[in-house]
Amino acid sequence: MLNTDSGPIAVCLGLTQAISGTRTVDEIYEAALDALADGLGVTRASILLFDREDVMRFVAYRGLSHAYRRAVEGHTPWAPDSIDPHPIVVENAADCDALSALLPAIRAEGIAAMAFIPLVSRSRVIGKFMLYYGEPRALTAGELQLAGVIAAHVAFAVDRTRAEDFARQSDERLRQALDARLAAAEDANRLKDEFLATLSHELRTPLNAILGWVQMLQSGVLTAERKEEAVETIGRNARLQAQLIEDILDVSRIITGKLAIDRLPLLVPQLVEGAITAVLPAAAAKRIHVDRDVAACLPPIEGDPKRLQQVLGNILSNAIKFTPPGGRVAVACAAEPDSIVITVRDSGAGVEPTFLPFIFDRFRQADSRSTRKHGGLGLGLAIARHLIEQHHGTISAHSDGPGEGTTFRIALPVRPIALFVPPAPDRRQIDRVRDARFEDVAVVVVDDERDARELLATLLGRCGARVIQCESAAEALDVLRSTPVQLIVADIAMPDVDGNELIRRARTANIHIPAVAVSAYARPEDRREALAAGYNAYCSKPLDAAEFLRTVHNVLTAAAV
């Protein structure tokens, strides 16, 4: 123990120098314990701090057994929010009622007296010094003052070190976050580049078949049988290209939050059977057997039949595509509590475990190399997940690995609803539309693209209509003002004056004849805008000839009523 006036000053100066040269909080603790030993002559001491759960824990100690530390850890006379606490000296532990529960451990350690010196930072208790003595004794005012000064030095140093550690950790977290964002951006760019390359390939492939067979047809060297094959091939590849474009549009609608669904009461078994029927030709071509186990009596659900058919068609088409010739695809549909579950299991290529968590991500493909065995844009499953979630359902995929096949599970919620069964279509009405004739009907066809204009004119002309072709809205308005016509068919995207402005000007001029919009803009909002402008119906490109003629027939019939 130091009794000279300069002793405490020397101890504090030494502690200050020691702390200023430390790099870690553990070195601060050691310097504090050295100062206590030099200034107060104690050989047993400890430093405890509150942890994140506000439990007092040993962080440094001398001369204390593990059993003692375990027995007394967590006990303290101060709460973390205690303000300006004073040191507590227990001159004789045996006489202190507050320590009665800990007395066996204290006696076993050979401790007779002790002192609690609070560590305070910014008016908040962050921990304490503990001084231990083998004999009952009190501490002098000078000893308590020196202990308090040492505690203040340590509390300040610990607080400063913690702040520095927090700043370093914050910098590290920021650096990691920036690195993660950079990696994500690089990954996104890579996926974008891969997607654009795949998109180019997938669009060019059917285009190559279309243009190639068109050139062969134009050459005049094909036999009648080969001409029929050429037309079939052109149609198949054109439909494939149209589906690719529709998938891209669907993803765009998902990203912008504009992919809407129509909720109608419907029966799931009919949807499943329809989807299976649609893929049977593709399955037969690869000798793939399709098993089905579809329960007949299932409760109706509320959903969009077109979109759910799209989901099931995509899942089944994938199963056929990724299953080798001679394989099997099993489709099951059954009721579970509060839901109807559809499972599609194939015996195909399976999925790598590392890719399975990303199987529903947009633009993700397990194999994007030029040597991949299967085509596609990698959008179908992302669209499927979004559509199922729009129906408040779930979709998941499981595979035991490459070559082990894949199982998709779709769960759609069941709610009490009344099923509306639409009346059977009028066969006579269908026949009338199929055999529609437009004799004595004058039609103005407006499109700045000659090929598109000629196609519309040919379709209508074959049905007996008298077609007047216009390549601009201005030309069409002149015709409408001077010539009696019964129908307008107009493209939307045209230079100078587009199709929507054309029909608005016509309606303003009291020209109220029926009008059908035909456009390559196929979004729901494009349809709504055209109808709001004044059109009676809307058909999107590429045209389905039968659907277009049916629309024209319905519009003319409604106008005649």
Side-chain angles (χ1 to χ4, degrees):
M1 188 181 304
L2 298 176
N3 296 318
T4 63
D5 292 337
S6 61
I9 297 175
V11 169
C12 291
L13 288 174
L15 177 60
T16 301
Q17 293 173 354
I19 288 177
S20 64
T22 59
R23 296 182 180 180
T24 67
V25 70
D26 289 334
E27 292 175 345
I28 294 173
Y29 301 151
E30 288 300 313
L33 292 176
D34 288 341
L36 290 172
D38 293 341
L40 298 176
V42 293
T43 57
R44 288 192 288 180
S46 63
I47 302 173
L48 296 91
L49 297 176
F50 284 114
D51 63 12
R52 293 183 177 180
E53 284 74 39
D54 289 336
V55 177
M56 193 74 84
R57 303 291 188 189
F58 283 92
V59 295
Y61 51 87
R62 285 184 183 172
L64 300 175
S65 68
H66 174 72
Y68 174 77
R69 299 196 310 274
R70 185 175 57 187
V72 304
E73 190 172 53
H75 295 275
T76 179
W78 302 299
D81 56 356
S82 299
I83 299 175
D84 297 329
H86 299 287
I88 298 174
V89 178
V90 179
E91 298 182 12
N92 191 339
D95 297 334
C96 181
D97 293 338
L99 298 177
S100 58
L102 304 176
L103 196 56
I106 293 172
R107 284 176 172 169
E109 196 70 9
I111 297 172
M114 62 183 68
F116 298 75
I117 311 298
L119 298 176
V120 180
S121 174
R122 286 178 275 192
S123 299
R124 184 179 184 272
V125 175
I126 63 171
K128 65 182 179 182
F129 276 154
M130 289 297 299
L131 310 179
Y132 308 96
Y133 301 93
E135 299 292 336
R137 61 157 293 178
L139 269 69
T140 65
E143 289 174 329
L144 287 174
Q145 183 180 21
L146 178 58
V149 171
I150 296 173
H153 275 71
V154 173
F156 174 79
V158 168
D159 193 54
R160 182 202 67 195
T161 305
R162 283 180 170 178
E164 293 172 349
D165 288 344
F166 179 78
R168 280 194 296 270
Q169 292 170 3
S170 297
D171 290 343
E172 179 63 19
R173 286 194 294 268
L174 179 60
R175 185 189 64 78
Q176 292 175 352
L178 291 174
D179 288 346
R181 287 193 177 187
L182 180 60
E186 291 174 348
D187 190 43
N189 281 332
R190 178 183 59 79
L191 290 174
K192 179 195 69 176
D193 292 342
E194 289 180 357
F195 171 73
L196 290 176
T198 302
L199 174 61
S200 174
H201 174 272
E202 294 300 313
L203 290 176
R204 286 173 181 271
T205 297
L207 188 61
N208 178 68
I210 293 170
L211 293 176
W213 281 107
V214 165
Q215 291 170 5
M216 293 292 289
L217 286 170
Q218 291 173 336
S219 69
V221 299
L222 296 179
T223 64
E225 182 180 348
R226 293 292 281 170
K227 285 180 180 179
E228 184 177 344
E229 180 184 349
V231 172
E232 181 182 343
T233 302
I234 290 170
R236 183 174 63 252
N237 281 275
R239 288 190 294 272
L240 173 59
Q241 196 168 53
Q243 184 58 54
L244 292 171
I245 294 171
E246 190 61 31
D247 284 348
I248 295 169
L249 289 175
D250 276 347
V251 169
S252 175
R253 295 176 189 127
I254 290 171
I255 293 172
T256 58
K258 295 180 179 179
L259 183 60
I261 62 172
D262 297 322
R263 298 185 183 278
L264 301 171
L266 54 90
L267 292 174
V268 174
Q270 294 179 358
L271 284 174
V272 175
E273 289 292 346
I276 292 174
T277 301
V279 300
L280 284 179
K286 295 179 68 175
R287 306 187 315 282
I288 294 173
H289 184 72
V290 179
D291 297 319
R292 65 186 81 187
D293 181 13
V294 181
C297 299
L298 292 175
I301 67 168
E302 191 177 62
D304 188 324
K306 177 183 176 182
R307 289 303 188 179
L308 289 177
Q309 194 80 32
Q310 179 182 354
V311 171
L312 294 174
N314 184 279
I315 298 297
L316 285 168
S317 296
N318 274 355
I320 300 298
K321 180 168 69 172
F322 289 103
T323 298
R328 303 183 77 87
V329 173
V331 183
C333 181
E336 292 190 0
D338 302 322
S339 65
I340 291 178
V341 175
I342 305 165
T343 57
V344 178
R345 184 175 67 255
D346 64 62
S347 60
V351 183
E352 287 279 358
T354 55
F355 181 73
L356 199 58
F358 308 105
I359 195 170
F360 293 103
D361 287 2
R362 290 193 300 267
F363 312 134
R364 287 272 194 174
Q365 289 186 311
D367 186 359
S368 59
R369 298 170 300 176
S370 61
T371 56
R372 63 188 180 137
K373 298 179 180 179
H374 306 285
L377 295 177
L379 298 179
L381 292 180
I383 295 170
R385 178 177 64 176
H386 180 84
L387 290 174
I388 293 300
E389 289 175 349
Q390 287 282 85
H391 285 80
H392 307 292
T394 60
I395 181 171
S396 59
H398 173 76
S399 176
D400 290 330
E404 299 297 327
T406 307
T407 300
F408 285 89
R409 182 182 188 274
I410 299 171
L412 296 167
V414 174
R415 298 184 180 88
I417 53 176
L419 178 63
F420 171 73
V421 179
D426 187 340
R427 187 74 245 173
R428 291 171 299 174
Q429 176 69 11
I430 294 175
D431 291 340
R432 282 198 298 271
V433 171
R434 184 189 61 195
D435 301 327
R437 302 297 299 171
F438 305 131
E439 279 87 358
D440 301 324
V441 175
V443 183
V444 172
V445 172
V446 193
D447 199 314
D448 62 307
E449 293 288 342
R450 178 182 175 182
D451 291 343
R453 195 167 64 242
E454 288 286 349
L455 172 63
L456 291 169
T458 302
L459 283 172
L460 293 167
R462 289 183 60 186
C463 295
R466 181 169 59 87
V467 179
I468 303 171
Q469 296 188 42
C470 300
E471 62 179 355
S472 69
E475 182 182 350
L477 287 169
D478 288 341
V479 171
L480 292 171
R481 293 187 186 102
S482 61
T483 307
V485 297
Q486 287 73 50
L487 180 68
I488 303 169
V489 177
D491 186 28
I492 296 299
M494 294 187 293
D496 300 326
V497 177
D498 68 8
N500 288 332
E501 182 60 24
L502 162 64
I503 200 64
R504 278 192 288 264
R505 293 185 183 183
R507 299 309 187 216
T508 302
N510 290 322
I511 301 172
H512 295 292
I513 61 176
V516 177
V518 177
S519 177
Y521 290 116
R523 301 174 303 174
E525 54 265 39
D526 299 319
R527 177 186 298 270
R528 288 193 295 268
E529 184 180 357
L531 297 178
Y535 286 100
N536 302 90
Y538 185 97
C539 294
S540 59
K541 298 177 181 179
L543 283 178
D544 180 297
E547 180 64 27
F548 170 69
L549 294 176
R550 183 160 49 249
T551 299
V552 170
H553 176 272
N554 292 339
V555 167
L556 291 174
T557 301
V561 174

